[in-house]
Amino acid sequence: MDINFTPEEEAFRQEVRSFLKEKLPREMSDKVLNHKHLTKDDLVNWQKILYEKGWAAPGWPKKHGGPGWTPVQKSIFEEETARAGAPPLLPFGLAMVAPVIMNFGSEEQKERFLPPILSADAWWCQGYSEPGAGSDLASLKTRAEREGDHYIVNGQKTWTTLGQHADWIFCLVRTNQEVKKQEGISFLLIDMNTPGISVRPIQLLDGGHEVNEVFFDNVKVPAENLVGEENKGWTYAKFLLGHERSGIAGIGRGKMELTRLKEIASKEQKNGRPLIDDPSFRARIARIEMDLDALEMTDLRVTAAVQQGQAPGPEASMLKIKGTEIRQEIYHRVREAVGPYALPFQPEALDGQTDDAVAPDYALSAAPTYFNNRKLTIFGGSNEIQKNIVAKMILGL
Amino acid sequence: MDFSLTDEQRMLQDTVERLVQDQYGFEQRRGYMQEKGGFSRDMWNQIAELGLLGVPFPEEIGGFGGGAIETMLVMEAFGKGLVLEPYVASVVTSGQLIADAGSDAQKEAILEPLVGGELVLAFAHGEPDSRYSNTQVATRAERSGAGYTITGHKAVVLHGDSADKFVISARTSGDTMDADGLSLFLVDADAKGVSIQGYPTIDGLHAAEVKLNGVQVSEDALIGQEGKAADLIELTQDRGAMAVCAEAVGAMGVACDLTLDYLKQRKQFGMPIGAFQSVQHRMVEMRMELEQARSATLKAAAKLDSGDPVERRRAVSIAKHQVGIGGRFVSEQSIQLHGGIGMTEEYYLAHFAKRIAMIDNQFGDADAHLDRFSAQMDVPKTA
Ligand SMILES: Cc1cc2nc3c(=O)[nH]c(=O)nc-3n(C[C@H](O)[C@H](O)[C@H](O)COP(=O)(O)OP(=O)(O)OC[C@H]3O[C@@H](n4cnc5c(N)ncnc54)[C@H](O)[C@@H]3O)c2cc1C
């Protein structure tokens, strides 16, 4: 047994670090590290910078223009980019629809859709959830009826993250009402500019606009936009769940946020001394670090198993549960660390649009970040659903 | 032992609950938030007309003659509607402080208009670096001529942008960290040298940064004895803490009710999500946190009036700690069990979740009260 990275892996880490030092714009990392609001341009521009280097799609094979990294390299990349405060790579195109197209799409679809995903020229969003179909996704009702060489889509998707910017949406739609609910679902790619689609913003509790409702009213979708076979959409969606799970524990992000918590606790005062020197607060931070350290090892164990060709199993659910709980605990402690200055609500300041900020950015963003990240345990399969998976698949209960 | 309310107390409770039920719907509250200072002057006047601003004050000046239990009843009912009006700032903290320690002239000038709703006070004690300390005060009041000159920065002053006058803590002697040398002053919001920057808070209320730059006050602005205000400040902070605990109990009750309703309505996998045992247990834990908070707050209210500062500190810290920890649990889990809908600004659960959580950032958080409690906890002597 050797739990150290190989010299090659360490060299790769150095390469990523020097790249980030040179290419990650300061104003971007400043926003990320202070939890200020990122714009669409920030996200697109950062992906384009990575694209130049050939690193925009850490999970893609070389054949499609990815770097062809090992799982360990991917995990190093994730950690280093998070540490440096790089904007996140949005998963919807790169990590969600692309692997499905690569594995089940036609050659034409691969040629048409993959290059703009890689170069950040097409913005994708995920149309799975519906008002009546959240955890029980397979009960979705949005219908696609075949008419000649088109599908006519009617229904509603919801919680569509950043759908307001999207050029495309990948949807699970019902194409057969007669069969078992999982067996009548298809995977359809829909141009957001098609007549009949309307997008309504949903404001979240932190005041931000990141999710939407998307309505489909007799939307005409060319049949060539069906991925794979009709009524096999559920299989593809499940493939996705089992496939792209690297990074699900968010170790890199967790470490970055933990460092940030320590910095904030060093700047904040309690009884005239730095909060970080308060034994009970310090012990709380230490507990988080201990949890995160153990989780990192669990993550690496799974990563190494995948590297040796084993399929990532339901262990991914454990990583998701623990990883999100740790992140939420960090955000709670940041809110606690900044004391009464967690109260002022000045979203303009987080957009960089006010000179009247009454507290540092890290304080003004503390409560919005804390509330916004309640989402971590709800989306991507809620933590309750993840526990059901572990109970069933690992424990056989 | 008798936990039942008196007839007067029950009437008081009914009055406030009816007001909240009839006039504090979600949409109505949204309207109030748009008004100047983030609350409704009309509502404030109604609260005054119902006599609620006089709850803790003696009958001679038009008060109700109530104590901390009465304040608790009002605040719990307010919590059910997330009432925005400056009751804690004006009545519970500053007003009672004047009633306790003010000179006859101060009481006469302040209390009647306060009870009538014409005068709003705010308690300006916390400072940018002082966190939840009762005694860490850098603001200074220097003797000058027949009065004092006050300079300093008061942070996150609840409803500071609506106050006509502030009760301000300032140091007349000693160093920033000393308990000795603290004094309290009445300062007009429009006095020369006072600057106020108001803002909304994330839980829908308002607060302000209040800066005093060489503000001149006369001798009779001093409240109580010079240099001896530490105990009064702590008592006032404890009153505020108990009041927001009661508000939290009201709000936690609503969050629990909304969640329970939702568990019965929302169907996934062909059944109500409340049919899943893991969900049931979570809901049970939420209710347990609520009941613990209710009990601890009741005791804090009882001990606030006991006149025994040691007992009072213990009980208030137990309550505020419980509301910090248990409130966080109820806030977070009510969102969690609602799924995506719990995260939206459009649905009113999130507003309760936010207020409940942010109460921890006022009048001492769970850690601050844990510290105070452990410092004076009884430890048996061993041989
Ligand atoms: C910020 C945000 C962004 C999102 N982005 C997207 C997106 O881009 N695209 C998309 O398609 N979706 C997105 N979602 C939707 C997300 O996937 C769903 O919210 C999630 O699947 C839960 O569904 P629900 O909200 O309907 O909750 P419900 O499924 O109604 O669940 C409510 C509660 O019941 C629990 N529960 C349900 N079933 C069980 C069970 N069997 N056992 C125990 N507990 C159970 C849940 O864990 C939860 O606590 C997003 C959600 C959020 C909050």
Side-chain angles (χ1 to χ4, degrees):
Chain A
M1 184 171 305
D2 182 359
I3 65 162
N4 298 304
F5 290 101
T6 65
E8 294 76 32
E9 286 161 351
E10 287 298 355
F12 174 70
R13 185 186 295 280
Q14 287 314 319
E15 189 189 350
V16 176
R17 272 191 194 175
S18 22
F19 169 79
L20 289 167
K21 206 164 160 197
E22 196 185 331
K23 293 288 169 133
L24 173 61
R26 255 312 278 275
E27 63 275 11
M28 277 190 202
S29 57
D30 175 64
K31 282 188 187 179
V32 173
L33 296 172
N34 287 302
H35 290 182
K36 293 166 94 164
H37 300 144
L38 290 163
T39 61
K40 175 181 180 177
D41 283 349
D42 291 327
L43 298 169
V44 168
N45 291 340
W46 174 237
Q47 193 184 323
K48 284 190 182 290
I49 292 170
L50 289 171
Y51 175 69
E52 294 286 305
K53 174 83 177 168
W55 288 358
W60 289 22
K62 278 212 163 98
K63 156 170 97 167
H64 292 300
W69 284 334
T70 63
V72 172
Q73 281 178 302
K74 275 194 286 180
S75 128
I76 291 172
F77 180 76
E78 189 241 346
E79 176 169 354
E80 291 302 325
T81 45
R83 201 174 76 107
L89 285 171
L90 288 185
F92 309 108
L94 289 169
M96 291 182 169
V97 75
V100 170
I101 294 175
M102 283 176 204
N103 282 277
F104 307 104
S106 64
E107 288 312 311
E108 294 78 54
Q109 285 172 339
K110 289 178 202 169
E111 266 165 46
R112 178 177 174 199
F113 292 114
L114 296 180
I117 291 178
L118 191 62
S119 62
D121 288 315
W123 184 292
W124 283 79
C125 64
Q126 179 192 25
Y128 280 16
S129 306
E130 298 182 2
S135 298
D136 181 15
L137 184 57
S139 67
L140 59 93
K141 288 205 173 75
T142 298
R143 284 160 61 150
E145 283 161 334
R146 185 74 185 246
E147 270 183 23
D149 54 2
H150 281 85
Y151 286 98
I152 305 297
V153 179
N154 280 291
Q156 184 198 339
K157 295 293 175 182
T158 192
W159 312 125
T160 320
T161 297
L162 300 178
Q164 70 266 37
H165 304 314
D167 305 302
W168 287 84
I169 182 168
F170 58 98
C171 285
L172 293 177
V173 292
R174 188 155 301 286
T175 37
N176 189 341
Q177 319 276 342
E178 317 287 285
V179 292
K180 227 180 98 189
K181 58 184 183 179
Q182 288 83 355
E183 287 161 12
I185 293 171
S186 298
F187 197 104
L188 207 54
L189 312 178
I190 305 178
D191 185 336
M192 288 291 280
N193 289 315
T194 322
I197 297 184
S198 49
V199 178
R200 191 189 78 90
I202 300 176
Q203 205 186 13
L204 291 186
L205 76 177
D206 62 336
H209 170 204
E210 66 181 76
V211 296
N212 304 272
E213 292 179 292
V214 182
F215 299 91
F216 300 85
D217 178 18
N218 286 319
V219 175
K220 214 170 150 189
V221 181
E224 69 207 36
N225 289 5
L226 176 77
V227 177
E229 288 176 49
E230 203 176 83
N231 298 326
K232 286 278 167 64
W234 190 250
T235 320
Y236 310 149
K238 275 200 355 211
F239 155 84
L240 197 58
L241 289 179
H243 175 85
E244 183 50 61
R245 310 245 83 182
S246 88
I248 194 169
I251 300 292
R253 185 65 189 254
K255 283 189 177 177
M256 180 275 263
E257 300 289 6
L258 181 67
T259 304
R260 201 175 158 265
L261 169 60
K262 290 178 182 172
E263 285 165 1
I264 292 169
S266 306
K267 290 180 193 153
E268 290 293 311
Q269 304 268 311
K270 180 173 176 182
N271 299 328
R273 297 197 10 235
L275 178 61
I276 190 84
D277 294 338
D278 175 62
S280 56
F281 199 80
R282 196 182 175 90
R284 293 190 202 290
I285 300 181
R287 263 301 305 272
I288 300 174
E289 181 158 344
M290 291 161 126
D291 273 353
L292 188 57
D293 197 78
L295 187 67
E296 181 178 24
M297 211 58 204
T298 311
D299 192 43
L300 289 169
R301 279 167 56 206
V302 174
T303 304
V306 172
Q307 186 138 319
Q308 280 156 24
Q310 295 166 29
E315 290 83 359
S317 293
M318 294 173 51
L319 295 175
K320 199 251 168 180
I321 296 166
K322 263 285 167 196
T324 53
E325 284 176 359
I326 289 172
R327 287 264 296 284
Q328 290 183 337
E329 178 68 13
I330 295 174
Y331 296 133
H332 167 70
R333 293 300 166 197
V334 170
R335 175 172 70 93
E336 197 174 45
V338 302
Y341 275 119
L343 283 156
F345 184 55
Q346 293 192 300
E348 336 67 80
L350 301 177
D351 285 329
Q353 284 170 0
T354 180
D355 300 326
D356 293 339
V358 296
D361 291 336
Y362 68 76
L364 295 177
S365 62
T369 301
Y370 162 77
F371 287 116
N372 178 278
N373 281 288
R374 300 314 307 163
K375 70 189 176 188
L376 296 179
T377 45
I378 295 173
F379 65 17
S382 75
N383 282 23
E384 289 76 20
I385 294 299
Q386 303 294 345
K387 286 180 188 170
N388 288 349
I389 294 173
V390 175
K392 213 163 155 180
M393 310 297 282
I394 298 188
L395 304 177
L397 287 168
Chain B
M1 193 158 282
D2 180 7
F3 284 101
S4 56
L5 299 176
T6 64
D7 287 346
E8 282 89 19
Q9 288 170 335
R10 202 155 329 108
M11 270 168 59
L12 174 67
Q13 189 178 42
D14 283 351
T15 304
V16 194
E17 286 191 346
R18 202 161 333 110
L19 178 73
V20 167
Q21 203 155 38
D22 295 348
Q23 301 198 48
Y24 242 97
F26 185 50
E27 290 306 324
Q28 289 164 310
R29 178 174 181 267
R30 258 182 215 240
Y32 304 155
M33 281 171 88
Q34 303 311 314
E35 294 184 34
K36 189 163 163 284
F39 70 92
S40 156
R41 284 281 167 180
D42 266 358
M43 177 54 62
W44 187 241
N45 291 336
Q46 284 191 56
I47 291 174
E49 276 159 30
L50 290 170
L52 300 178
L53 300 181
V55 162
F57 302 118
E59 280 152 35
E60 303 90 80
I61 58 121
F64 183 87
I69 297 286
E70 282 73 15
T71 299
M72 179 192 81
L73 295 173
V74 172
M75 287 306 299
E76 185 182 341
F78 279 175
K80 292 181 183 174
L82 300 179
V83 166
L84 302 162
E85 283 65 29
Y87 195 81
V88 173
S90 198
V91 176
V92 177
T93 52
S94 319
Q96 291 199 79
L97 191 150
I98 299 288
D100 280 0
S103 64
D104 289 344
Q106 285 168 338
K107 287 190 211 172
E108 197 165 322
I110 301 285
L111 293 181
E112 239 169 280
L114 187 147
V115 169
E118 301 105 56
L119 183 76
V120 172
L121 298 189
F123 184 54
H125 169 65
E127 301 186 354
D129 283 331
S130 76
R131 206 173 185 78
Y132 304 109
S133 169
N134 289 324
T135 50
Q136 181 178 344
V137 172
T139 299
R140 303 203 78 95
E142 312 278 356
R143 278 250 172 217
S144 67
Y148 299 86
T149 305
I150 308 177
T151 297
H153 176 176
K154 294 295 175 178
V156 200
V157 176
L158 192 57
H159 291 294
D161 53 350
S162 300
D164 303 301
K165 289 179 193 292
F166 295 103
V167 172
I168 281 186
S169 60
R171 186 164 287 292
T172 36
S173 66
D175 287 331
T176 302
M177 305 303 294
D178 293 347
D180 247 13
L182 291 174
S183 304
L184 289 159
F185 297 92
L186 261 172
V187 177
D188 286 342
D190 59 7
K192 198 161 158 276
V194 175
S195 69
I196 300 166
Q197 187 188 353
Y199 44 79
T201 58
I202 186 141
D203 50 7
L205 299 173
H206 266 238
E209 299 303 294
V210 179
K211 292 182 185 152
L212 302 109
N213 189 4
V215 178
Q216 301 285 339
V217 295
S218 60
E219 185 118 37
D220 52 19
L222 178 72
I223 306 166
Q225 237 185 308
E226 186 186 290
K228 298 284 172 226
D231 288 345
L232 197 53
I233 292 170
E234 192 182 29
L235 171 64
T236 301
Q237 295 282 77
D238 278 355
R239 284 182 172 142
M242 190 285 290
V244 295
C245 283
E247 180 189 355
V249 169
M252 284 161 77
V254 174
C256 283
D257 289 349
L258 286 172
T259 307
L260 182 60
D261 279 350
Y262 194 71
L263 300 188
K264 294 176 184 167
Q265 281 165 28
R266 172 70 170 172
K267 290 203 170 103
Q268 289 288 276
F269 306 100
M271 59 188 100
I273 53 176
F276 302 117
Q277 282 191 333
S278 59
V279 171
Q280 291 173 358
H281 289 183
R282 192 85 49 85
M283 185 72 240
V284 170
E285 286 158 10
M286 286 168 64
R287 280 297 284 273
M288 288 167 58
E289 294 296 349
L290 166 63
E291 292 311 323
Q292 289 283 84
R294 191 190 304 286
S295 302
T297 302
L298 187 63
K299 183 161 177 184
K303 294 295 180 187
L304 259 177
D305 282 345
S306 72
D308 178 344
V310 176
E311 290 271 289
R312 182 197 81 216
R313 283 189 202 108
R314 265 179 66 90
V316 169
S317 284
I318 293 171
K320 193 66 175 51
H321 179 264
Q322 168 59 29
V323 161
I325 305 288
R328 176 189 174 195
F329 185 80
V330 168
S331 166
E332 292 180 351
Q333 296 307 322
S334 62
I335 294 174
Q336 180 69 21
L337 293 183
H338 274 84
I341 210 89
M343 297 267 314
T344 64
E345 189 75 2
E346 292 158 41
Y347 182 54
Y348 65 149
L349 173 78
H351 299 261
F352 284 89
K354 282 196 279 189
R355 179 64 190 137
I356 295 165
M358 297 314 294
I359 280 176
D360 194 39
N361 295 65
Q362 291 181 319
F363 299 108
D365 63 10
D367 272 2
H369 283 281
L370 188 61
D371 284 351
R372 187 173 74 164
F373 182 88
S374 14
Q376 64 157 54
M377 180 173 66
D378 278 341
V379 178
K381 292 199 175 35
T382 48

